[in-house]
């Protein structure tokens, strides 16, 4: 009798038909016979080894439990900090753009022209004050309406020199004769 059952479990070939029927009706007899098969013993042995290995892994995981939670908390803190810095990034980027815009050639040229205009107005105010006899920023006393002519001329000349230098630099810059290096 060559059945699929006997091919799968050759150990059953030695059992009679009555023994096989008893295996089906008596659970204790089935269990004792079933657990005596070599393949079943090997499977149970492998299952026990896997169970022991699983228990060893579980014990190892439990020993790492506190360390893992500490690392998780540290990671979460660093992640939260990174998110906060990322949120600040746009503000910092905007501020950086604002600062860099003050260093752009067009902005610097505008400042130079404004400084030249302010210097012109300051020198003209000084000259008007001298002509009208009002004390301006000139120090000292003197001959013409309380202001020393030599002191006025020296200060006025210096102010006009600064004004004309600024105008010349602005004209050269505006005509493209000034280049800026990026270093």
């Amino acid at each position: 009798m060559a059945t699929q059952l006997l091919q799968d479990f050759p150990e059953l070939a030695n059992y009679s038909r009555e023994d096989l029927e008893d295996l089906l009706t008596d659970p204790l007899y089935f269990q004792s016979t079933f657990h005596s098969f070599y393949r079943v013993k090997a499977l149970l042995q492998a299952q026990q080894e896997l169970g022991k290995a699983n228990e060893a892994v579980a014990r190892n995981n439990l020993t790492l439990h506190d360390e893992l939670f500490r690392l998780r908390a540290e990671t979460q803190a660093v992640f939260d900090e990174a998110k906060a810095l990322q949120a600040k990034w746009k503000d910092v980027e905007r501020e950086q753009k604002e600062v860099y815009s003050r260093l752009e050639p067009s902005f610097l040229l505008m400042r130079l022209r404004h400084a030249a205009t302010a210097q012109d107005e300051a020198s003209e105010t000084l000259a008007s004050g001298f002509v009208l006899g009002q004390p301006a920023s000139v120090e000292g006393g003197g001959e013409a309406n309380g202001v020393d002519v030599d002191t006025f001329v020296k200060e006025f000349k210096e102010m006009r020199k600064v004004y004309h230098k600024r105008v010349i630099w602005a004209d050269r810059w505006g005509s493209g004769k000034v280049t800026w290096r990026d270093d």
Side-chain angles (χ1 to χ4, degrees):
M1 154 164 67
T3 64
Q4 184 66 35
L5 178 67
L6 293 178
Q7 287 176 0
D8 291 340
F9 296 99
E11 297 91 352
L12 294 176
N14 297 334
Y15 289 86
S16 66
R17 183 172 182 87
E18 293 83 25
D19 288 337
L20 292 175
E21 287 174 358
D22 287 342
L23 277 174
L24 293 176
T25 58
D26 187 4
L28 290 176
Y29 183 48
F30 176 80
Q31 286 294 324
S32 66
T33 304
F34 182 75
H35 287 291
S36 68
F37 294 154
Y38 172 75
R39 278 202 271 165
V40 173
K41 286 180 183 179
L43 283 174
L44 289 175
Q45 180 66 28
Q47 182 183 18
Q48 283 180 344
E49 289 172 5
L50 287 174
K52 288 178 183 178
N54 195 22
E55 285 178 13
V57 168
R59 276 192 298 278
N60 187 32
N61 285 346
L62 286 175
T63 60
L64 297 175
H65 184 266
D66 293 336
E67 179 69 14
L68 289 174
F69 274 107
R70 185 187 63 74
L71 288 173
R72 180 183 290 165
E74 286 178 13
T75 302
Q76 186 64 46
V78 170
F79 180 77
D80 292 342
E81 182 182 353
K83 282 293 192 183
L85 290 174
Q86 188 178 19
K88 268 179 73 173
W89 181 255
K90 288 185 180 181
D91 293 334
V92 169
E93 214 171 30
R94 181 186 48 76
E95 289 174 13
Q96 180 184 19
K97 186 176 181 180
E98 185 179 309
V99 167
Y100 282 160
S101 71
R102 292 184 209 146
L103 300 175
E104 289 181 5
S106 60
F107 183 78
L108 293 174
L109 177 59
M110 179 191 70
R111 286 186 59 202
L112 179 60
R113 286 184 174 152
H114 284 287
T117 303
Q119 187 71 19
D120 183 44
E121 290 172 1
S123 68
E124 289 302 319
T125 302
L126 179 69
S128 296
F130 179 75
V131 169
L132 297 175
Q134 298 170 350
S137 64
V138 178
E139 292 293 325
E143 303 157 7
N145 297 329
V147 177
D148 182 20
V149 174
D150 291 335
T151 305
F152 163 74
V153 169
K154 183 178 178 184
E155 189 171 338
F156 182 75
K157 212 170 142 182
E158 186 62 33
M159 290 178 86
R160 292 308 287 178
K161 182 170 83 173
V162 170
Y163 163 73
H164 285 292
K165 279 184 178 181
R166 288 178 180 171
V167 168
I168 290 170
W169 291 336
D171 289 344
R172 285 184 185 171
W173 195 345
S175 65
K177 294 180 182 174
V178 174
T179 57
W180 292 95
R181 298 184 313 192
D182 289 333
D183 55 350

